[in-house]
Amino acid sequence: MAGLDIVASTPAPESVDIDFHGVLYTITISVDGEEVLRIEIEDKDTLDRWRGEFAAKCKQYSSTFICRPSCSTAPFDSHTKPLRSSTTLYADVEDITSKTGNFKKFTIFVRMLQTAILQQSDSVFVDLLTFQDLELLKSKKAGGTNGQSAPPRQLPASNKRYLILTYASEFDRVHYPLPLLPEEHPDPQRLKAVIRQLRQQLGEAQAAQQHQQQLQPQRRSRSSHNQVSTNSPAGLCMQQ
């Protein structure tokens, strides 16, 4: 496939800006050597971030880390104690695809996600939903299946997001939900980098404004000179 190939090698994370429901986000995806897909999404306006990590399949990555046999919401050890911060999800990609009834191997799934994010095909695309949005869709789907609307229920407050990868074929449409948890404690180094970038942009804008202010007197001077030349006797003779 043309474009980035984050499966074959392991380059730096690839970032793409995408508009979801009128809000601009930056999506960053990468795959490390242990076949772990990492997804980070940032709101370009508020700088809120969500992230998730997704293993190819359940397997042991170290002497203490064991992936759950089904799609998990966090890694755990033999005593079910989380091993990572609450801002990271660890789930089994192949288990997620299997539950939809349309199983995909890890490498195929990543390529589908690449293609959708880069908007290189009409057959795969992504959407970003809140927990409430996803539950509402499930409720509507259940109501449509039963022939009657599902009863409304009170949903718990949640700041979780779901990146929905959709594969649409001629006769079928499959949705692969990828849960992402909010970043509750932003990385100080990332905040410093944002501040440096904003300062640089402010400096460039101020320099451009000063340059324009310096050009204005020169433009007025040239304009006045041209007007004087036109009104001079030589200029009047040339006009005649």
Side-chain angles (χ1 to χ4, degrees):
M1 183 189 73
L4 61 143
D5 189 354
I6 62 176
V7 179
S9 54
T10 309
E14 181 76 16
S15 297
V16 179
D17 291 342
I18 299 183
D19 184 287
F20 292 119
H21 310 287
V23 179
L24 189 62
Y25 295 88
T26 298
I27 298 182
T28 303
I29 61 173
S30 62
V31 175
D32 66 16
E34 296 180 328
E35 290 190 327
V36 175
L37 170 66
R38 290 186 173 88
I39 301 176
E40 295 184 1
I41 295 183
E42 179 178 274
D43 186 319
K44 297 275 287 185
D45 184 25
T46 66
L47 299 183
D48 291 335
R49 286 165 64 95
W50 296 263
R51 61 176 59 179
E53 295 187 357
F54 307 88
K57 63 180 68 175
C58 292
K59 63 180 179 180
Q60 184 170 337
Y61 285 92
S62 67
S63 59
T64 56
F65 180 83
I66 301 176
C67 186
R68 293 191 179 189
S70 60
C71 178
S72 61
T73 57
F76 71 106
D77 59 15
S78 57
H79 301 289
T80 66
K81 179 181 178 180
L83 298 177
R84 295 175 180 259
S85 67
S86 60
T87 60
T88 301
L89 287 174
Y90 222 102
D92 178 354
V93 165
E94 295 186 0
D95 181 69
I96 291 176
T97 63
S98 178
K99 287 183 176 180
T100 66
N102 194 322
F103 173 79
K104 300 294 181 184
K105 296 287 292 184
F106 178 78
T107 53
I108 299 299
F109 182 84
V110 172
R111 291 181 181 275
M112 290 171 59
L113 182 60
Q114 288 177 323
T115 303
I117 289 177
L118 294 176
Q119 302 179 15
Q120 295 177 331
S121 172
D122 295 334
S123 299
V124 287
F125 50 90
V126 290
D127 195 7
L128 187 66
L129 301 179
T130 65
F131 172 77
Q132 291 77 8
D133 292 336
L134 188 62
E135 289 300 311
L136 181 61
L137 288 177
K138 290 180 179 179
S139 177
K140 289 182 178 180
K141 184 176 180 180
T145 303
N146 299 330
Q148 53 183 329
S149 59
R153 61 189 182 91
Q154 187 68 28
L155 297 176
S158 175
N159 195 25
K160 185 185 298 186
R161 294 292 186 272
Y162 290 85
L163 184 66
I164 310 297
L165 173 62
T166 299
Y167 171 63
S169 62
E170 184 177 0
F171 302 104
D172 197 9
R173 179 173 294 219
V174 184
H175 305 287
Y176 301 103
L178 301 171
L180 307 171
L181 285 182
E183 183 181 61
E184 298 176 354
H185 305 288
D187 181 7
Q189 296 301 321
R190 185 179 68 84
L191 294 179
K192 291 180 181 179
V194 171
I195 293 174
R196 287 195 298 268
Q197 181 181 6
L198 293 176
R199 285 177 176 173
Q200 180 181 356
Q201 293 175 352
L202 178 60
E204 293 174 352
Q206 291 175 341
Q209 184 178 13
Q210 292 176 358
H211 181 66
Q212 291 296 327
Q213 291 175 350
Q214 293 173 355
L215 291 178
Q216 287 178 359
Q218 299 176 8
R219 291 171 178 171
R220 287 197 296 266
S221 177
R222 286 197 297 266
S223 177
S224 300
H225 177 74
N226 293 336
Q227 184 176 4
V228 170
S229 300
T230 303
N231 295 330
S232 66
L236 292 175
C237 291
M238 290 179 63
Q239 290 180 0
Q240 295 176 355

